[in-house]
Amino acid sequence: MTQGNSSKTKQRPQRLLALDILRGITIAGMILVNNPGSWGHIYAPLAHASWNGLTPTDLVFPFFMFIMGVSTYFSLRKYEFKFSASAVTKVLVRTVVIFLIGMFIAWLGLTLRGWIANDMAIFDAMFTQFDSIRILGVMPRLALCYGIGSLIALLFHGNSKAIGWIVGIFLVGYSIILLSGNGFAFASENIIAVVDKAVLGENHMYSDTIAGLTLKFDPEGLLSTLPSIAHMLIGFLVGGMIIKVKDNTLRINNLFILGTILTFAGFLIDFGMPINKKIWSPTFVLTTCGLASSFLGLLIWIIDIKGYKRWCKFFEAFGVNPLFMYVLGAVVSIVLSYIRVPYAAVESGIISLKGWLYQAVWIPVAAGNETFASLLFAITFVLFIWIFGYFLYRNKIYIKI
C-alpha cells in the first residue's frame, strides 16, 4: 500500500488515465453483474450466455484480463524485461498472493455457509471442508495468467514478435485440443471437464446447469487457462504498442485497427468455432481482445484528446485499486448472503440480509417489478463498494495486490 507522500504516488499523474478508467469500468461491471438482488430475476444483458454466444456481461472478465496484460507491460518495463532475480521474485510473490486471496474467498463462503446456513460448529466450518473447496475461480485464473504470462514475457525479453508467435501457438494448439476432444459440447466427456476431474477432482470444481443438465464443469478450468494466458499476452503486446507510440492520435488509430482486425476475425471464425466464455474459446479471445482494444482507443480519444474528464472520477476510484475493490465486493457479498435476520414475510421467519434488502426494500421501491428491483440492488451494491474506493482515492492510498 502506498500513500500520497510516497514516490509511487508522485508518479500517479504519469499513468495513462484512459487505462485506469477502462479498468475501473470493468471492475464496476464485474461487481454489478456478480451481485443482482435475485439470480432468478436478471435483465438479459446482465446475464452470461448460457453456453455459446456473447452478452455484455461476458465482456467484463476478459476486458480485465486484457487490461492486466497491458499493465504488466508497464510493470515489467522497469526491469527492462530481463529475467532477473528481482523481477521473477516480484512476479512469483504476486502470483501466490493473488491465488491465495482467491482461495480465501472460496474458504470464506464455505465457512459462513457451514456455520450459519448448515449449523456446523464454527471450528468444523472453518477447518473440515477443505475436501470440497473450489480450487479455481476468477482470482486463481488471474494469478495463473499473470504469473505464467509475465514469466514468458521475461524469458523472451519482451520481444513482441516472439510473444506473438507464442500467442498463436497457444490459440492454435488449444483449438486442436477442443476440436479433437469434444470441447464445444457441454458434456461430461468434454476434454476440459475430463482434465479437471482427473487433476482437481469433482469436489473441487464448479457445478453448472445448462438446459436442465447439471455437470461438474469449471469455467476457469485448467485447460482453458492456456487461451487465457494468450489473452493476457495480447494485452501485453498492446501495452508495448501504447508505450512505443507517444502521439495519442496514432495510438488510437493503431488500437482501432488492431481492435477491428481481432473482432472481425473472432466473429468470422465463430461460424466453425463458437464464441464461448465458459471454455474461453480462441474466438472468444480474439473478439473480446478486439473489443477491449477498440474501447481503450475510444477512451483515449474521449479523455486525452477531447479532454472530457469530469465523468472519470467515479470509475477512477475503482481503477486505481482494482483487485482490492473486486475482493472487497466479493467478501461483502458473501457476508450479506449468510447473515440472517428475522423476516415474517417468509415461511421460515428468517432470511439472509441480502434477501431482506431485496424483498423488503427494493421490491417495494420498484413497485413490485422483481427484475428492476434486482438491478436496483446491484447498482446500490456497486455504490456501496465505491464509497470505500473513493475514500482511498481521495486520500491517495493505493493498495497493491
Side-chain angles (χ1 to χ4, degrees):
M1 181 172 71
T2 60
Q3 294 186 343
N5 59 353
S6 71
S7 60
K8 288 185 180 180
T9 302
K10 292 176 183 177
Q11 295 174 6
R12 179 66 58 175
Q14 298 175 5
R15 295 173 68 103
L16 182 63
L17 180 58
L19 184 64
D20 277 340
I21 301 308
L22 177 56
R23 188 188 292 113
I25 291 171
T26 302
I27 290 296
M30 291 174 78
I31 295 172
L32 179 76
V33 301
N34 285 343
N35 294 281
S38 167
W39 286 105
H41 298 88
I42 307 173
Y43 288 110
L46 299 179
H48 289 291
S50 60
W51 187 242
N52 294 331
L54 193 66
T55 73
T57 295
D58 292 322
L59 298 178
V60 289
F61 190 13
F63 271 32
F64 190 78
M65 188 76 72
F66 172 87
I67 298 163
M68 184 174 70
V70 176
S71 301
T72 299
Y73 185 94
F74 297 166
S75 176
L76 296 182
R77 185 168 169 249
K78 66 184 177 183
Y79 296 102
E80 299 178 346
F81 305 107
K82 293 180 180 177
F83 198 82
S84 62
S86 57
V88 171
T89 299
K90 177 186 176 180
V91 168
L92 293 179
V93 168
R94 188 165 188 246
T95 298
V96 171
V97 168
I98 295 174
F99 194 96
L100 290 178
I101 289 174
M103 293 297 294
F104 166 77
I105 293 172
W107 171 85
L108 180 64
L110 272 182
T111 297
L112 292 184
R113 182 171 63 190
W115 179 38
I116 299 175
N118 298 335
D119 295 321
M120 295 176 66
I122 181 62
F123 182 86
D124 290 339
M126 292 175 65
F127 299 111
T128 65
Q129 301 186 88
F130 291 106
D131 60 343
S132 60
I133 192 170
R134 185 185 175 201
I135 295 174
L136 300 179
V138 171
M139 293 292 283
R141 167 151 291 184
L142 289 173
L144 293 174
C145 292
Y146 165 77
I148 297 171
S150 296
L151 292 177
I152 289 172
L154 292 172
L155 280 169
F156 289 91
H157 306 291
N159 184 285
S160 58
K161 184 177 290 187
I163 293 172
W165 275 104
I166 291 170
V167 169
I169 290 169
F170 275 25
L171 293 181
V172 171
Y174 185 60
S175 300
I176 294 171
I177 291 171
L178 291 178
L179 292 170
S180 61
N182 201 31
F184 291 98
F186 183 68
S188 58
E189 63 270 20
N190 185 310
I191 186 65
I192 296 172
V194 170
V195 170
D196 285 341
K197 288 174 187 176
V199 178
L200 302 175
E202 289 193 3
N203 287 346
H204 298 291
M205 294 171 59
Y206 182 82
S207 292
D208 203 354
T209 301
I210 298 176
L213 177 63
T214 299
L215 294 174
K216 288 290 187 176
F217 195 100
D218 208 306
E220 283 82 41
L222 289 170
L223 267 184
S224 58
T225 302
L226 289 174
S228 303
I229 296 168
H231 196 124
M232 177 268 186
L233 288 174
I234 291 174
F236 180 88
L237 294 174
V238 170
M241 236 173 54
I242 291 170
I243 287 291
K244 293 168 186 175
V245 176
K246 303 302 179 185
D247 178 70
N248 276 329
T249 301
L250 186 55
R251 273 179 176 171
I252 64 171
N253 285 342
N254 290 342
L255 287 168
F256 280 133
I257 290 170
L258 176 65
T260 301
I261 291 171
L262 292 178
T263 303
F264 270 90
F267 279 122
L268 286 172
I269 303 172
D270 173 64
F271 288 101
M273 190 178 297
I275 296 171
N276 186 310
K277 177 188 178 293
K278 292 182 179 180
I279 63 173
W280 215 276
S281 65
T283 45
F284 178 76
V285 173
L286 295 175
T287 304
T288 55
C289 281
L291 292 172
S293 180
S294 297
F295 193 22
L296 179 57
L298 177 63
L299 288 175
I300 292 175
W301 179 76
I302 292 171
I303 295 168
D304 295 298
I305 293 181
K306 291 299 183 180
Y308 300 129
K309 300 180 180 179
R310 293 184 64 182
W311 64 277
C312 294
K313 287 187 177 180
F314 178 84
F315 294 108
E316 194 172 3
F318 286 101
V320 296
N321 286 302
L323 289 180
F324 171 78
M325 296 292 281
Y326 176 80
V327 172
L328 177 63
V331 170
V332 172
S333 178
I334 290 170
V335 171
L336 288 179
S337 296
Y338 289 110
I339 289 180
R340 295 293 190 259
V341 295
Y343 187 50
V346 296
E347 184 177 346
S348 64
I350 192 166
I351 195 172
S352 71
L353 181 54
K354 175 182 178 179
W356 181 85
L357 289 169
Y358 172 62
Q359 294 192 31
V361 177
W362 288 118
I363 288 181
V365 169
N369 186 325
E370 295 183 67
T371 305
F372 185 48
S374 184
L375 175 61
L376 290 177
F377 178 93
I379 292 171
T380 306
F381 190 92
V382 171
L383 293 175
F384 178 75
I385 299 301
W386 174 82
I387 292 171
F388 294 91
Y390 187 66
F391 172 81
L392 298 176
Y393 170 72
R394 282 294 301 271
N395 290 279
K396 298 182 179 179
I397 299 172
Y398 309 117
I399 300 174
K400 306 296 183 182
I401 296 179

